[in-house]
């Protein structure tokens, strides 16, 4: 397929390669989902509920988790953990004009004003949003450390501790640029209320939980997002990438959050989710498992490079063909230009000959007109004709009226007496200059 026929979204999908495990820490259970992401779609590999994890030995439910991953061939994958909503403070910051490398420093500068924990140590992370904004999550460091130690005791490797808004925002990005024009989506919260998630130009991310009827919660979300009141709310599971394969136990209508968390962990390079886990405590997956992914990515890059090279070669070949055709017709075009110039010169010569041929007739017409105008007993003894004027000399009983008589002719105008005197025979001598005019042919 030519490069210009490939949409930007198609190229974006080439980056959708990875596997992720999402763990939601609910009130008393752990909800686990595993997913594999490929350019051709998403497959949910499995879903597991670990009941009463807080009251059971960590080694016991950790073994259940390990068997679950082993059965899916994902023992090497580190988990992305969704912290309880009540444990995380979420803030939106607008940082227009701040360069990417300076964002973290800008957040750190105002961090103390973003949470109510006073002098307590906090763990925090951020996700980039559109329109120069960022999404910041802040939790007590002791809370994060408690859950980290719990997972370590269970033998669970974790690479990211995040929160619901960041996970859903990251997962939605796997649809491309998200839903254009803004939206609001409703789901069932962990506490049984209404979970509202939305995006708009006025507010890149809005996420809240309401103990209200769904219609009222939707209207509050639309107001926060500055969207039209008549905007129809969507279902939260509908704004996430639709899985091509989804086991029945992974009921997205009931709880899509573990699925969204797994997607966020599968492709963090597409849209990273905020990570509250300190960098030195993140347990990344083994690099060896990325060999197939790297090989596939290399193949895709080679294919993309081949398409680019082929298009460049095709363009050069087509340009050379056009230039060869231009070289073939260039002599004919030059000959046509030469013929046009010769025709123009011939036309100019013909017009010049016509003008010369008309001069004699025009001079005879002027002499005939003078003969008609100067009637006896007046007479002319000298006539001088040029292209633009005539000068006549002679005698007449009265010379003054001759100026008016000449100007009344269609062949003369602007007649002016040059000299006037009295002749010996009672006549008046005259010399008159008049401008010639040529009636339109």
């Amino acid at each position: 397929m030519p490069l210009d026929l490939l949409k930007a979204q198609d190229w974006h999908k080439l980056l959708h390669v990875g596997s992720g495990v999402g763990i939601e820490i609910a009130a008393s259970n752990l909800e686990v989902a595993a997913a594999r992401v490929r350019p051709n779609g998403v497959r949910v590999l499995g879903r597991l509920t670990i009941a009463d994890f807080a009251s059971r030995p960590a080694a016991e439910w950790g073994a259940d988790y390990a068997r679950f991953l082993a059965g899916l061939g994902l023992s090497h994958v580190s988990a992305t953990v969704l912290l309880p909503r009540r444990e995380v403070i979420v803030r939106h910051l607008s940082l227009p004009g701040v360069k990417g490398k300076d964002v973290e420093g800008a957040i750190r500068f105002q961090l103390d004003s973003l949470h109510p924990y006073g002098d307590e140590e906090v763990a925090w992370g951020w996700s980039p949003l559109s329109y120069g904004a960022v999404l910041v999550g802040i939790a007590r460091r002791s809370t994060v450390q408690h859950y980290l130690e719990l997972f370590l005791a269970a033998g669970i490797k974790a690479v990211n501790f995040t929160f619901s808004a960041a996970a859903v925002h990251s997962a939605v990005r796997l649809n491309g640029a998200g839903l254009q024009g803004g939206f609001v989506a409703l789901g069932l919260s962990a506490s049984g209320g209404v979970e509202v998630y939305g995006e708009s130009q006025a507010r890149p991310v809005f996420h809240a939980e309401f103990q209200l009827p769904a219609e009222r919660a939707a209207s509050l979300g639309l107001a926060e997002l500055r969207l039209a009141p008549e905007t129809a709310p969507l279902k939260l599971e509908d704004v996430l990438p639709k899985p091509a394969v989804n086991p029945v136990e992974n009921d997205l209508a009931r709880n899509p959050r573990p699925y969204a968390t797994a997607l966020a962990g599968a492709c963090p390079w597409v849209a990273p989710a905020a990570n509250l886990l300190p960098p030195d405590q993140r347990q990344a997956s083994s690099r060896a498992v990325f060999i197939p992914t790297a090989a596939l990515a290399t193949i895709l890059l080679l294919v993309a490079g081949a398409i680019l090279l082929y298009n460049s070669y095709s363009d050069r070949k087509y340009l050379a063909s056009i230039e060869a055709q231009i070289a073939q017709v260039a002599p004919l075009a030059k000959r046509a230009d030469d013929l046009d110039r010769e025709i123009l010169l011939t036309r100019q010569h013909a017009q010049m000959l016509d003008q010369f041929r008309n001069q004699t007739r025009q001079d005879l017409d002027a002499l005939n007109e003078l003969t008609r105008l100067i009637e006896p007993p007046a007479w002319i003894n000298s006539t001088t004709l040029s292209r633009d004027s005539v000068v006549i000399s002679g005698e007449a009983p009265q010379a003054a009226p001759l100026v008016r008589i000449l100007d009344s002719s269609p062949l003369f105008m602007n007649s002016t007496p040059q000299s006037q005197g009295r002749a010996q025979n009672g006549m008046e001598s005259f010399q008159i200059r008049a401008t010639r005019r040529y009636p339109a042919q």
Side-chain angles (χ1 to χ4, degrees), residues 62-132:
D64 294 341
Y65 175 83
R67 283 192 296 271
F68 171 72
L69 291 192
L72 302 176
L74 297 179
S75 299
H76 57 278
V77 176
S78 298
T80 299
V81 179
L82 194 65
L83 293 171
R85 180 180 179 83
R86 65 183 181 278
E87 305 286 5
V88 183
I89 300 295
V90 180
R91 295 286 185 262
H92 300 82
L93 296 181
S94 180
L95 301 174
V98 178
K99 296 181 179 179
K101 62 184 181 63
D102 299 326
V103 169
E104 188 163 333
I107 299 172
R108 191 183 301 276
F109 179 75
Q110 51 187 314
L111 186 62
D112 291 341
S113 64
L114 300 179
H115 64 82
Y117 300 135
D119 294 334
E120 285 189 71
E121 286 191 71
V122 295
W124 60 281
W126 62 278
S127 299
L129 304 176
S130 54
Y131 312 112

Side-chain angles (χ1 to χ4, degrees), residues 41-252:
V42 178
R43 293 171 57 93
V44 178
L45 303 180
R47 178 69 181 262
L48 173 67
T49 298
I50 300 177
D52 299 325
F53 74 98
S55 60
R56 294 166 56 193
E60 180 181 322
W61 53 265
D64 294 341
Y65 175 83
R67 283 192 296 271
F68 171 72
L69 291 192
L72 302 176
L74 297 179
S75 299
H76 57 278
V77 176
S78 298
T80 299
V81 179
L82 194 65
L83 293 171
R85 180 180 179 83
R86 65 183 181 278
E87 305 286 5
V88 183
I89 300 295
V90 180
R91 295 286 185 262
H92 300 82
L93 296 181
S94 180
L95 301 174
V98 178
K99 296 181 179 179
K101 62 184 181 63
D102 299 326
V103 169
E104 188 163 333
I107 299 172
R108 191 183 301 276
F109 179 75
Q110 51 187 314
L111 186 62
D112 291 341
S113 64
L114 300 179
H115 64 82
Y117 300 135
D119 294 334
E120 285 189 71
E121 286 191 71
V122 295
W124 60 281
W126 62 278
S127 299
L129 304 176
S130 54
Y131 312 112
V134 294
L135 183 67
V136 182
I138 307 169
R140 291 183 174 89
R141 183 177 290 274
S142 58
T143 299
V144 174
Q145 194 64 32
H146 165 71
Y147 285 118
L148 178 61
E149 292 174 356
L150 189 63
F151 282 113
L152 289 176
I156 297 176
K157 295 183 297 183
V159 69
N160 187 350
F161 277 17
T162 189
F163 50 95
S164 184
V168 175
H169 178 268
S170 177
V172 171
R173 303 281 84 72
L174 294 180
N175 284 325
L179 294 159
Q180 299 298 324
F183 67 92
V184 64
L186 307 181
L188 184 65
S189 70
S191 61
V194 179
E195 182 176 5
V196 180
Y197 177 87
E199 299 180 11
S200 70
Q201 185 171 353
R203 187 162 183 176
V205 168
F206 172 73
H207 186 251
E209 180 179 341
F210 298 101
Q211 299 296 329
L212 295 171
E215 295 79 4
R216 178 57 178 161
S219 64
L220 292 175
L222 291 173
E224 288 288 342
L225 293 163
R226 306 294 191 271
L227 295 176
E230 61 272 13
T231 303
L234 305 174
K235 295 179 180 178
L236 184 56
E237 64 268 21
D238 290 340
V239 303
L240 300 173
K242 185 176 181 180
V245 177
N246 188 35
V248 66
E249 62 268 18
N250 186 44
D251 185 2
L252 297 182

Side-chain angles (χ1 to χ4, degrees), residues 230-295:
E230 61 272 13
T231 303
L234 305 174
K235 295 179 180 178
L236 184 56
E237 64 268 21
D238 290 340
V239 303
L240 300 173
K242 185 176 181 180
V245 177
N246 188 35
V248 66
E249 62 268 18
N250 186 44
D251 185 2
L252 297 182
R254 184 180 63 84
N255 184 5
R257 289 179 297 276
Y259 170 63
T261 307
L263 295 182
C267 300
W269 47 85
V270 175
N275 193 347
L276 279 66
L277 197 60
D280 58 339
Q281 295 179 326
R282 299 171 187 175
Q283 294 180 294
S285 302
S286 172
R287 295 184 179 181
V289 302
F290 292 109
I291 293 177
T293 300

